[in-house]
């Protein structure tokens, strides 16, 4: 789950900072964007539930001189209960974050611009209905800096390339490994704190031209305390965990006659040096044959490596100037490179695990004015996987979602 | 319209293959449990419905407001709110934002009356207030952003006669004596929808309790229609109807 929080956080920060543009006549230019979605979810297994998403960004661009400006941005984000891709979160998990970014912008000639900045964020995660936000196991604090460079190559068609380097120090103050503490009851000191603390480095290159965009992103996460489970012995070794991912994406936003298209495609390759030791029960002790997928204790090397393809094809058909009918098909397909799929008895099979989640959405959109839109939508979700062990997480289900969303952006 | 009808029919057809039954009894029990676990938070959501947290329209000096639904009707929550403009936008200096003071009080007076005439309910009080200020600034002829602070408080007390304690689904709840108090930060944006008609969306965030709500509102010279969202609340949607007069 923490990986999802991280990627959401970084993407939000990376995309939106560029969005605010100064008006020449203003010393101060405010930036406001609020998206609100609320929906009812009816899964094929389990009961109806409601959930929502709120994303609010308020910023202020201050122009000091013709070449120098400062941009401050506050971002509030809430992700409520919703259908989730497999191996992600539970349906009922929620998280909330506050992000602060301060950026200095310096123009170098007409075509170049440098944007160094600092960032701080606090995230809260909640699983139970009445769990306090402050006590979430995956609560996270992040601080760091970034440097972006923009090169404009086509002013008429808004063509530019942005290169970004960013670094974050990330702490999970509440995270602990309860199993490790349980296994060492005589030690009263906190021995399992800080296991998820990490430093994150990311570089990205994002060209954009005439409504088309693309991107290449490399992310590396170095864990400060978490050690790798040795693939031969099944115990923690000296090597520390290190994850990385490479992602490429592209898409465009264009209007053709009465149709508005905004398709997007991305492909991510994630790898980690961490392995996974699967216990069938808390009392399982048979370490004799850890390579056997049906053994009580099984070692899964490179358990967290996967390749993931995501695409979405949203289309809006403008019936009148105000009303539009929308459709969207989105697909997330994840294939694990080494992790086997499990049968209903938690035994690993020879086939590698594959997850597929498809969402088909129909909607009615009303454009309230130049800056505000409202959308009523229905979504059909079909999630399938060759992993049939679903004691803790659903892998194969259908679901319906009905909801309403508002967006107001200036 | 015909196209929309066809579209909705198609959506219903799509919904059929993923049909699933709703266990309303189980859902009701879950919601009741959430109310019992934190009654103050549940009740405070209704107070937020009546709180006037949008800026005064340009040119107006003060206003009075009362929440009609779901506060006065059906909850018999007598309530009165007010706004007073301390500074009009740009009056003292160009670009200086408008500054409004806001505040209000509400009291479910019927609860006190019921307690006086009831043998099983010895005492019942449910009341609250809020006070704050809103800064608003036009960023274009059609857009006004606003920022604010409010302090909100609520008190709820229901004391039952011995042996007459409240029961919910065979569980004795006992007396309720609770309250809610927090400092909220607000941010929103307003855009006109016609002559003296506006549409706004805003976020209210409680710093200590991390309570948050969003309000989507349409308002004219006298009435406000709203849809308030409490994502972590028991009742996520609150349709709202308020009455106000601006001077």
């Amino acid at each position: 789950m923490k990986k999802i929080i991280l990627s959401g956080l970084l993407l939000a920060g990376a995309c939106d900072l560029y969005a605010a543009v100064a008006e020449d006549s203003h010393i101060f230019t405010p930036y406001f964007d609020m998206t609100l979605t609320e929906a009812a979810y009816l899964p094929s297994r389990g009961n109806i539930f409601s959930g929502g998403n709120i994303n609010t960004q308020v910023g202020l661009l201050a122009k000091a001189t013709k070449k120098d400006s400062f941009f401050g941005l506050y971002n509030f984000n809430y992700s409520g209960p919703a259908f989730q891709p497999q191996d992600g979160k539970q349906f009922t998990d929620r998280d909330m974050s506050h992000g602060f970014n301060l950026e200095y912008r310096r123009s170098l000639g007409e075509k170049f611009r440098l944007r160094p900045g600092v960032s701080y964020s606090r995230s809260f995660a909640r699983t139970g209905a009445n769990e306090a936000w402050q006590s979430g196991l995956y609560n996270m604090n992040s601080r760091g800096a970034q440097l972006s460079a923009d090169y404009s190559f086509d002013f008429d068609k808004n063509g530019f390339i942005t290169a970004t380097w960013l670094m974050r120090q990330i702490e999970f103050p509440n995270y602990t490994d309860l199993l490790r503490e349980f296994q060492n009851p005589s030690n009263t000191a906190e021995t399992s704190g800080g296991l998820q603390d990490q430093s994150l480095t990311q570089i990205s290159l994002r060209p954009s031209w005439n409504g088309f965009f693309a991107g290449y992103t490399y992310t590396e996460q170095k864990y400060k305390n978490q050690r790798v489970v040795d693939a031969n012995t099944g115990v923690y070794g000296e090597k520390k965990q290190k994850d990385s991912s490479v992602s490429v994406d592209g898409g465009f936003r264009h209007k053709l006659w009465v149709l508005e298209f905004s398709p997007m495609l991305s492909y991510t390759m994630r790898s980690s040096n961490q392995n996974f030791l699967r216990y069938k029960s808390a009392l399982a002790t048979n370490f004799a044959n850890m390579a056997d997928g049906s053994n009580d204790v099984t070692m899964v090397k490179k358990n967290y490596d996967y390749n993931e393809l995501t695409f979405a094809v949203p289309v809006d058909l403008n019936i009148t100037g105000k009303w539009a009918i929308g459709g969207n098909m989105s697909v997330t397909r994840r294939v694990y490179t080494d992790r086997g799929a499990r049968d209903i008895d938690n035994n690993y099979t020879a086939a590698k695990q594959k997850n597929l989640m498809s969402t088909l959405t129909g909607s009615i959109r009303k454009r309230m004015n130049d800056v505000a839109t409202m959308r009523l939508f229905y979504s059909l979700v079909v999630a399938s996987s060759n992993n049939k062990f679903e004691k803790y997480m659903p892998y194969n289900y259908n679901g319906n979602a009905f909801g309403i969303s508002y967006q107001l952006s200036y | 319209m015909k196209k929309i009808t066809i579209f909705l029919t198609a959506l219903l057809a799509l919904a059929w293959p993923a049909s699933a039954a709703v266990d309303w009894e189980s859902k009701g029990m879950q919601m009741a449990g959430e109310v019992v676990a934190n009654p103050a938070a549940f009740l405070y959501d209704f107070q937020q419905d009546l709180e006037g947290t949008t800026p005064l329209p340009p040119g107006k000096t003060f206003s009075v407001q009362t929440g009609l639904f779901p506060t006065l009707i059906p909850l018999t929550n007598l309530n009165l709110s007010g706004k007073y403009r301390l500074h009009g936008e740009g009056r003292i200096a160009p670009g200086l934002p408008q500054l409004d003071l806001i505040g209000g009080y509400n009291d479910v007076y019927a609860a006190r009356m019921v307690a006086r005439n009831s043998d099983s309910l010895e005492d019942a009080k449910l009341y609250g207030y809020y006070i704050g200020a809103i800064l608003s600034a036009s960023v274009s002829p059609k857009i006004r952003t606003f920022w604010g602070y409010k302090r909100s408080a609520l008190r709820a007390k229901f004391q039952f006669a011995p042996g007459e304690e409240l029961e919910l689904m065979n569980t004795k709840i006992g007396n309720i004596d609770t309250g809610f108090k927090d400092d909220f930060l607000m941010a929103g944006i307003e855009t006109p929808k016609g002559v003296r008609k506006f549409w706004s969306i805003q976020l209210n965030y409680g710093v200590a309790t991390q309570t948050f709500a969003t309000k989507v509102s349409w308002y004219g010279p006298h009435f406000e229609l709203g849809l308030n969202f409490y994502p972590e609340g028991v009742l996520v949607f609150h349709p709202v109807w308020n009455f106000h007069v601006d001077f």
Side-chain angles (χ1 to χ4, degrees):
Chain A
M1 191 182 76
K2 58 188 178 295
K3 289 160 190 164
I4 293 171
I5 296 172
L6 286 177
S7 57
L9 186 81
L10 294 170
L11 280 175
C15 297
D16 298 316
L17 282 174
Y18 194 79
V21 179
E23 293 179 26
D24 285 344
S25 57
H26 291 180
I27 295 172
F28 295 103
T29 306
Y31 171 69
F32 189 99
D33 184 288
M34 187 164 177
T35 306
L36 165 67
T37 303
E38 196 63 50
Y41 298 88
L42 183 59
S44 55
R45 286 184 290 168
N47 208 0
I48 191 169
F49 62 93
S50 63
N53 272 281
I54 302 170
N55 191 278
T56 303
Q57 296 178 35
V58 290
L60 189 68
L61 184 64
K63 210 162 129 181
T65 70
K66 197 176 177 184
K67 288 184 174 179
D68 303 285
S69 56
F70 294 88
F71 182 55
L73 183 78
Y74 164 72
N75 185 187
F76 172 86
N77 188 74
Y78 167 80
S79 296
F83 296 135
Q84 304 288 350
Q86 302 95 326
D87 291 321
K89 301 190 289 186
Q90 299 278 1
F91 292 165
T92 51
D93 287 357
R94 290 95 82 199
D95 54 75
M96 173 175 69
S97 68
H98 303 273
F100 302 90
N101 260 286
L102 183 62
E103 186 177 87
Y104 165 64
R105 297 178 171 184
R106 170 76 180 179
S107 297
L108 302 170
E110 283 195 347
K111 292 187 173 180
F112 287 96
R113 185 168 65 163
L114 279 178
R115 293 185 287 127
V118 291
S119 166
Y120 175 76
S121 76
R122 291 194 71 180
S123 299
F124 303 90
R126 202 175 190 187
T127 50
N130 296 303
E131 179 186 7
W133 283 112
Q134 287 87 350
S135 58
L137 190 67
Y138 289 101
N139 285 3
M140 181 181 77
N141 301 326
S142 161
R143 64 183 192 283
Q146 69 268 350
L147 176 64
S148 296
D150 306 314
Y151 171 66
S152 297
F153 58 85
D154 187 343
F155 289 105
D156 294 336
K157 296 194 172 178
N158 198 27
F160 62 91
I161 297 176
T162 298
T164 300
W165 168 88
L166 69 80
M167 180 275 297
R168 298 282 185 269
Q169 295 295 327
I170 298 164
E171 294 174 350
F172 291 80
N174 298 340
Y175 187 83
T176 185
D177 186 336
L178 291 173
L179 181 61
R180 275 196 232 181
E181 292 187 5
F182 173 75
Q183 288 168 334
N184 189 14
S186 59
N187 189 349
T188 54
E190 173 59 68
T191 55
S192 303
L195 287 176
Q196 295 296 328
D197 293 358
Q198 56 188 272
S199 63
L200 182 146
T201 308
Q202 187 177 77
I203 53 170
S204 64
L205 192 66
R206 300 199 64 80
S208 182
W209 177 79
N210 194 26
F212 292 85
F213 61 88
Y216 167 88
T217 307
Y218 174 76
T219 308
E220 190 174 83
Q221 293 166 258
K222 288 182 177 174
Y223 288 75
K224 294 176 179 172
N225 300 308
Q226 182 66 282
R227 296 179 187 279
V228 173
V229 179
D230 189 278
N232 299 314
T233 63
V235 298
Y236 284 102
E238 287 302 310
K239 196 187 292 181
K240 289 184 179 169
Q241 185 176 337
K242 185 176 161 186
D243 299 350
S244 65
S245 71
V246 175
S247 178
V248 288
D249 67 275
F252 64 86
R253 178 179 288 272
H254 266 283
K255 194 170 179 182
L256 181 65
W257 187 44
V258 292
L259 295 169
E260 290 176 39
F261 296 94
S262 48
M264 185 278 294
L265 174 78
S266 80
Y267 188 74
T268 301
M269 294 165 285
R270 184 173 181 83
S271 66
S272 171
N273 61 351
Q274 186 62 279
N275 304 307
F276 176 61
L277 197 60
R278 188 283 315 265
Y279 290 78
K280 268 190 182 175
S281 71
L283 302 175
T285 53
N286 185 5
F287 288 82
N289 189 7
M290 291 193 295
D292 183 355
S294 58
N295 200 32
D296 280 355
V297 180
T298 301
M299 169 59 67
V300 186
K301 294 177 188 174
K302 301 185 79 60
N303 180 70
Y304 303 100
D305 292 17
Y306 63 79
N307 298 326
E308 186 169 277
L309 175 74
T310 302
F311 69 86
V313 191
V315 180
D316 279 317
L317 168 67
N318 289 298
I319 304 169
T320 67
K322 277 188 173 179
W323 293 89
I325 289 177
N328 182 18
M329 184 181 178
S330 66
V331 171
T332 301
R333 184 174 187 269
R334 180 182 291 188
V335 179
Y336 287 90
T337 58
D338 294 82
R339 182 195 297 189
R342 283 180 272 182
D343 64 18
I344 55 171
D345 297 318
N346 200 7
N347 297 317
Y348 284 97
T349 62
K352 303 301 177 203
Q353 185 179 330
K354 293 174 187 171
N355 301 336
L356 180 67
M357 183 172 171
S358 306
T359 307
L360 198 60
T361 301
S363 65
I364 300 169
R365 186 192 71 189
K366 184 186 181 188
R367 191 179 294 282
M368 305 178 84
N369 57 26
D370 294 346
V371 295
T373 57
M374 180 186 81
R375 193 184 285 272
L376 290 165
F377 66 89
Y378 162 75
S379 292
L380 171 67
V381 175
V382 181
S384 62
S385 172
N386 59 353
N387 187 43
K388 306 301 178 190
F389 180 67
E390 300 178 87
K391 189 175 179 180
Y392 305 110
M393 299 282 279
Y395 282 85
N396 298 276
Y397 65 91
N398 299 333
N400 302 284
F402 306 85
I404 186 169
S405 71
Y406 295 92
Q407 181 173 22
L408 217 160
S409 180
Y410 175 76
Chain B
M1 193 62 216
K2 189 180 174 186
K3 288 177 182 173
I4 292 173
T5 309
I6 294 168
F7 178 72
L8 290 173
T9 309
L11 286 185
L12 286 174
L14 277 173
W16 179 78
S19 61
V22 180
D23 185 347
W24 292 112
E25 187 181 351
S26 166
K27 187 68 186 171
M29 288 176 70
Q30 178 203 331
M31 291 168 73
E34 290 175 19
V35 173
V36 170
N38 195 350
F42 171 71
L43 294 169
Y44 178 66
D45 287 349
F46 290 96
Q47 180 172 315
Q48 291 216 71
D49 292 340
L50 60 87
E51 291 179 347
T53 51
T54 51
L56 274 168
K60 298 295 180 183
T61 310
F62 68 97
S63 77
V64 289
Q65 174 177 310
T66 187
L68 299 176
F69 181 87
T71 40
L72 188 64
I73 308 165
L75 299 176
T76 68
N77 191 349
L78 302 176
N79 66 93
L80 191 67
S81 295
K83 296 175 190 170
Y84 179 71
R85 192 186 74 193
L86 274 184
H87 174 256
E89 184 176 354
R91 288 279 172 91
I92 295 176
L96 202 63
Q98 176 175 315
L99 175 61
D100 301 326
L101 296 180
I102 60 167
Y105 179 80
N106 68 97
D107 195 322
V108 183
Y109 194 70
R112 298 175 194 257
M113 293 172 68
V114 168
R116 274 189 214 126
N117 297 300
S118 169
D119 295 330
S120 56
L121 190 61
E122 290 185 342
D123 191 11
K125 290 174 187 159
L126 178 54
Y127 59 93
Y129 72 87
Y130 70 100
I131 187 164
I134 299 174
L135 282 170
S136 50
S138 302
V139 292
S140 81
K142 281 193 167 184
I143 303 289
R144 195 159 66 142
T145 58
F146 55 95
W147 322 76
Y149 160 83
K150 72 176 180 189
R151 178 160 182 87
S152 283
L154 174 140
R155 172 101 162 90
K157 185 179 182 184
F158 296 91
Q159 187 176 330
F160 297 89
E164 300 286 341
E165 286 87 354
L166 187 65
E167 275 193 21
L168 194 65
M169 295 180 181
N170 298 322
T171 302
K172 189 171 279 187
I173 305 303
N175 298 323
I176 293 174
D177 190 354
T178 185
F180 179 95
K181 192 182 285 183
D182 204 353
D183 297 299
F184 283 79
L185 300 176
M186 302 178 286
I189 191 166
E190 180 189 73
T191 177
K193 285 292 294 168
V195 179
R196 296 181 64 199
K197 291 179 181 171
F198 300 92
W199 187 83
S200 80
I201 188 167
Q202 63 175 286
L203 173 72
N204 286 217
Y205 181 78
V207 177
T209 58
Q210 291 171 306
T211 301
F212 56 93
T214 55
K215 295 180 172 184
V216 182
S217 305
W218 294 258
Y219 40 96
H222 297 301
F223 290 100
E224 174 190 356
L225 284 173
L227 193 57
N228 294 354
F229 294 88
Y230 304 101
E232 291 286 299
V234 179
L235 296 173
V236 174
F237 291 94
H238 284 213
V240 172
W241 184 36
N242 292 332
F243 173 76
H244 61 258
V245 183
D246 302 328
F247 300 95

